[in-house]
Amino acid sequence: MQTCIYLDNNATTKVDPEVVEAMLPYLTQYYGNPSSMHTFGGQVGKAVKQARQQVATLIGADDSEIVFTSCGTEGNNAAIRAALQAQPEKRHIVTTQVEHPAVLNVCKQLETQGYTVTYLSVNRQGQIDLDELEASMTGNTALATIMYANNETGVVFPIEQIGLRVKEYGAILHVDAVQAVGKVPLNMKTSTVDLLTLSGHKLHAPKGIGALYVRRGVRFRPLLVGGHQERGRRAGTENVPGIIALGKAAELAQTYIKDVKHEKQLRDRLEKTLLETIPNCEVNGDRKNRLPNTTNIGFKYIEGEAILLSLNQYGICASSGSACTSGSLEPSHVLRAMSLPYTTLHGSIRFSLSHYTTADEIDRVLEVMPLIVERLRVLSPFNNDQADWLQGREVLAVGNGL
Amino acid sequence: MWDYTDKVMELFYNPKNQGLLEDNQEPGIAVVFGEVGSIACGDALRLHLKIDVDNDKILDARFQTFGCTSAIASSSALTELIKGLTLNAALQVTNKDIAEYLGGLPEAKMHCSVMGQEALEAAIFKYRGIPIAVHEEDEGALICSCFGISESKIRRVIQENNLATAEQVTSYVKAGGGCGSCLANIDDLIAAVTKESALNIATDIATAQEQLQRPLTTVQKIALIQKVLDEEVRPLLIADGGDVELYDVEGDRVQVALQGACGSCSSSTATLKVAIEAKLQERISQKLLVEAV
């Protein structure tokens, strides 16, 4: 297989070799069921308990507050449904226009079931307005479900300030922290967050394992009903190797999170140098409040998929919010919600680093990126913001179809 | 990741005929360009032609494209296809020719080949002084307001490519790919176009029989069977992952080869009798019998 420069860590991450080592015996030797009464299964139960403690420690929670799930999507679905079931008389939900589909589409479905949903807008920097949040809250609001950090831009929302406002109205706060856990220090003990979703494969554990933090005292009804696993909060025989892997990844993340400066320095150098060496490009998103590993840059007058396939030729992996990569024909709902001009939007590229990223890899990107952009710009009929090329469709994108 | 052919990647990495053509005011030579798309839609093509005025011939073609890998490759393919052709011959080039030149395109990317065909028409019509309004966005209402696609454009792509579902229409011209509120209208259009083309075939048959005042010749019969298969039967089978090929005709016995999913389908006998034989009997002659080979 081709080796690659992997700068797509917000999509998924490399499984840490130590994580693989930790989980392997649970695929081969220790295959017992943790619920069994015999010692053979019981020892597996102990390992699961330890993993639960490791995950709890990473986010400053108690181990009884951790529910293992299969992925971030399951965590979000379970959290939102549980929060609503706990307060059946309240019929209003607050979220943002830039959530992951695993939250947005759940909310859209709930709208067809009699719920009212407020989708908070974001400004050009991808940041929400706390006054708009406050104005949208009512006594009828059951839940605010707001992401910690955006997967496309890395923009971090002021979760604790959000939490204070949500608590004033007695609503539950759910936070999709899939992109934040392992990159930003979290402490649930001093937080206003009630429910928090995390996913293993974003922090160097394998795909197919995640966890949901459920604050003690928050009423919780399971999404999956069946056996008594996870204290009746998530039925189904435990994915033991996945759980052990997530535990180990959480333990390792505690070390890496202290060393996040490395990623940030590389990200900043990548971003700064690209902006200096390539004309007509700009960073999408609030640069002050952002994940340390993510940069989203719009290269004007060229199209994102063509940039990605050009990078691919050099073995460089990244992502784009362009229409041609989305599977639909519309560009990214996040960038559209930010009202970015079409000239920038279609040529947006996300580079997301990890602690595995090296200075040499960043140098290589800095070497080839100007050539790629130059080549595609020579091919393009556009080279400025002259309005007639936009053919009457305004420079600003119009909402995101919500 | 898109499943692009080697030819698409080759023309993306090393495109032929990129750039523009300057008008050097040479006698007997015209330089013209046509454009489609916009930066808002996410792809746009400006096609430049150098035309030998006396011979009505394309001497050179260049492109400038804003778009994805397949948009760039389709543009380059178009220029290769039309160089040296007369304008009338160039107007016969369809989006299918562009896709075939590339060894095929993923269906969701077929609109890139449609864009090539449209830019070519735009350039030639501009050269001939036919106003844009006459050939583009003409009769028929705007169906897809997200991407600004008219009824006539959708009808044309349905006819030329035998499209059977709204999803295919979205892949070819983007219509319905935004908010999706026009998908039902597109379904209606597909039904209307399919019905019209069925009527056309019926008229063809009636005309042929009337003109001759005698039964169809074997050649006419084969041509009609082929036409009915292509326009009325195959689109339905292809939509289900199958296909059919006309193998031979002996008197009233029509031999066909079922392909793809149809070849192994447990209801292939029903397909043969209901979808194919009944259709041929209805359209051409009650005496026709269909069998698989």
Side-chain angles (χ1 to χ4, degrees), chain A residues 292-314:
Chain A
N293 79 319
T294 309
T295 177
N296 187 312
I297 304 179
F299 298 91
K300 287 183 167 189
Y301 317 122
I302 54 179
E303 201 279 331
E305 193 239 37
I307 303 174
L308 289 184
L309 279 245
S310 304
L311 283 167
N312 190 54
Q313 201 184 12
Y314 297 99

Side-chain angles (χ1 to χ4, degrees), chain A residues 11-293:
Chain A
T12 193
T13 58
K14 172 190 162 97
V15 182
D16 196 300
E18 285 190 56
V19 168
V20 176
E21 200 185 328
M23 76 186 287
L24 271 181
Y26 295 88
L27 288 164
T28 52
Q29 211 175 338
Y30 304 113
Y31 56 81
N33 189 324
S35 303
S36 297
M37 282 302 114
H38 39 69
T39 315
F40 184 65
Q43 63 189 351
V44 176
K46 278 182 189 159
V48 167
K49 192 170 180 228
Q50 192 202 346
R52 196 183 304 281
Q53 186 58 56
Q54 287 166 319
V55 173
T57 305
L58 178 64
I59 61 170
D62 190 84
D63 59 355
S64 65
E65 296 173 312
I66 302 297
V67 179
F68 288 114
T69 61
S70 64
C71 60
T73 298
E74 186 197 324
N76 287 337
N77 272 269
I80 293 171
R81 302 275 177 192
L84 297 178
Q85 280 186 23
Q87 319 157 82
E89 70 292 351
K90 294 184 175 182
R91 309 292 286 177
H92 177 232
I93 302 165
V94 176
T95 186
T96 78
Q97 293 182 358
V98 297
E99 295 301 307
H100 190 275
V103 166
L104 273 186
N105 288 335
V106 177
C107 288
K108 281 187 196 162
Q109 194 185 56
L110 287 164
E111 280 183 297
T112 68
Q113 295 165 10
Y115 283 90
T116 312
V117 181
T118 303
Y119 300 92
L120 299 174
S121 63
V122 294
N123 62 16
R124 187 74 182 261
Q125 274 67 50
Q127 202 51 266
I128 59 165
D129 177 356
L130 290 172
D131 292 338
E132 190 191 348
L133 165 71
E134 188 135 23
S136 72
M137 300 289 303
T138 72
N140 192 33
T141 308
L143 168 75
T145 171
I146 294 178
M147 67 197 336
Y148 201 107
N150 188 272
N151 48 314
E152 294 190 32
T153 59
V155 169
V156 171
F157 286 148
I159 288 299
E160 296 311 326
Q161 293 181 51
I162 291 167
L164 289 176
R165 285 161 177 81
V166 171
K167 295 290 114 183
E168 265 179 49
Y169 291 85
I172 289 179
L173 174 62
H174 165 244
V175 171
D176 172 0
V178 161
Q179 293 294 344
V181 174
K183 296 172 194 150
V184 181
L186 296 174
N187 186 358
M188 290 300 107
K189 288 195 178 66
T190 57
S191 172
T192 50
V193 174
D194 295 307
L195 300 159
L196 180 133
T197 305
L198 66 94
S199 170
H201 75 102
K202 310 284 191 192
L203 59 142
H204 306 287
K207 293 148 193 77
I209 185 70
L212 179 64
Y213 160 82
V214 183
R215 177 174 295 282
R216 189 176 295 154
V218 170
R219 284 171 63 193
F220 191 86
R221 295 282 183 82
L223 184 67
L224 280 185
V225 180
H228 60 273
Q229 293 90 350
E230 302 297 298
R231 299 167 159 227
R233 293 180 296 186
R234 202 275 189 183
T237 302
E238 296 88 342
N239 168 9
V240 174
I243 289 171
I244 304 301
L246 180 57
K248 188 67 188 176
E251 182 197 308
L252 295 172
Q254 295 227 70
T255 316
Y256 297 138
I257 217 166
K258 289 175 194 143
D259 193 30
V260 83
K261 263 192 214 154
H262 159 80
E263 266 165 84
K264 187 173 182 303
Q265 274 170 3
L266 290 179
R267 191 274 313 264
D268 289 345
R269 181 158 72 86
L270 172 67
E271 186 172 273
K272 186 165 167 280
T273 317
L274 286 177
L275 293 182
E276 280 167 6
T277 53
I278 301 175
N280 291 314
C281 59
E282 56 192 57
V283 173
N284 300 322
D286 180 358
R287 293 170 77 171
K288 286 200 197 77
N289 300 293
R290 201 166 43 148
L291 291 175
N293 79 319

Side-chain angles (χ1 to χ4, degrees), chain A residues 299-314 322-331 342-344 346-347 375-382 384-385 388-391 393-394 401, chain B residues 1-2 4 9 11-15 18-19 35-46 63-70 72 108-109 111 145-148 170-171 173-179:
Chain A
F299 298 91
K300 287 183 167 189
Y301 317 122
I302 54 179
E303 201 279 331
E305 193 239 37
I307 303 174
L308 289 184
L309 279 245
S310 304
L311 283 167
N312 190 54
Q313 201 184 12
Y314 297 99
S322 88
C324 284
T325 57
S326 65
S328 76
L329 290 166
E330 295 278 17
Y342 282 111
T343 44
T344 311
H346 286 293
R375 182 180 95 86
L376 293 173
R377 282 195 178 151
V378 166
L379 281 171
S380 173
F382 305 124
N384 62 42
D385 291 340
D388 65 335
W389 281 337
L390 298 166
Q391 296 182 1
R393 295 186 67 167
E394 227 334 279
Chain B
M1 192 168 176
W2 299 111
Y4 288 133
M9 295 315 292
L11 282 181
F12 170 65
Y13 289 132
N14 298 300
Q18 70 178 78
E35 52 190 3
V36 289
S38 79
I39 212 161
C41 291
D43 43 27
L45 162 58
R46 186 179 289 165
F63 75 92
Q64 290 175 290
T65 294
F66 163 77
C68 60
T69 303
S70 53
I72 289 168
K109 294 287 191 174
H111 63 86
S145 50
C146 294
F147 288 101
T170 304
S171 297
V173 290
K174 295 192 181 183
C179 69

Side-chain angles (χ1 to χ4, degrees), chain B residues 52-78:
Chain B
D52 171 348
V53 175
D54 289 341
N55 297 310
D56 219 26
K57 203 171 175 182
I58 298 171
L59 297 175
D60 200 1
R62 300 283 170 88
F63 75 92
Q64 290 175 290
T65 294
F66 163 77
C68 60
T69 303
S70 53
I72 289 168
S74 296
S75 309
S76 188
L78 168 70

Side-chain angles (χ1 to χ4, degrees), chain A residues 324-342:
Chain A
C324 284
T325 57
S326 65
S328 76
L329 290 166
E330 295 278 17
S332 144
H333 71 284
V334 175
L335 303 181
R336 275 185 295 147
M338 289 160 68
S339 300
L340 293 180
Y342 282 111

